[in-house]
Each structure stands twice: as C-alpha cells, then as structure tokens.
Amino acid sequence: MLTDNMEGFEQKQINYSDYENSFRRWLISQIDSEKMSFQEARDRFQLSTTEYKKIIKRWQERYS
C-alpha cells in the first residue's frame, strides 16, 4: 500500500496567524484582480493543500 511507504513524511502544520495583515491584503488583491489564482497562491506560498481555499475565502471576507 502507498501509505506503508510514507515514513518520514509528515503533514506540516501551518499557523495562518503568522502571516502579516499586509501580506494577506496583498495576496487577496492579487487574487481579486486575477493576477494570481488560488492554486498559484497555494503553490507559491506553500499553503495547505487541503485548506487553502477555505483560508483564502476567509481572508477575502476580511480584506476585500
């Protein structure tokens, strides 16, 4: 099984409160103006692959 070979890999916990407000505002402005997609933001800034849309949506509610 694939999971049998996952030793040494661990899900890195990301603390989203570590991101400064200025960064959040900038990122949301990039996404809102379609200069960057959700997936590009996820990859470029190493956001959680499972929660990135929820986090970005929450930031959009606050900073858009």
Side-chain angles (χ1 to χ4, degrees):
M1 252 184 125
L2 180 60
T3 55
D4 294 339
N5 297 315
M6 298 300 289
E7 291 178 23
F9 291 95
E10 59 185 73
Q11 184 71 18
K12 186 170 104 174
Q13 190 69 13
I14 299 171
N15 186 356
Y16 291 101
S17 63
D18 288 345
Y19 289 98
E20 293 184 15
N21 287 338
S22 59
F23 168 78
R24 295 176 194 186
R25 285 186 181 102
W26 173 82
L27 181 60
I28 295 308
S29 72
Q30 295 295 300
I31 292 171
D32 287 348
S33 65
E34 298 180 358
K35 293 180 182 176
M36 186 181 302
S37 70
F38 279 47
Q39 292 79 14
E40 288 171 326
R42 177 197 63 203
D43 295 343
R44 183 172 176 189
F45 301 108
Q46 301 174 345
L47 302 175
S48 168
T49 56
T50 57
E51 296 183 8
Y52 72 98
K53 284 186 180 179
K54 183 174 86 174
I55 296 300
I56 292 174
K57 290 284 188 189
R58 187 179 314 144
W59 289 354
Q60 280 180 317
E61 291 171 6
R62 291 182 187 169
Y63 303 114
S64 283

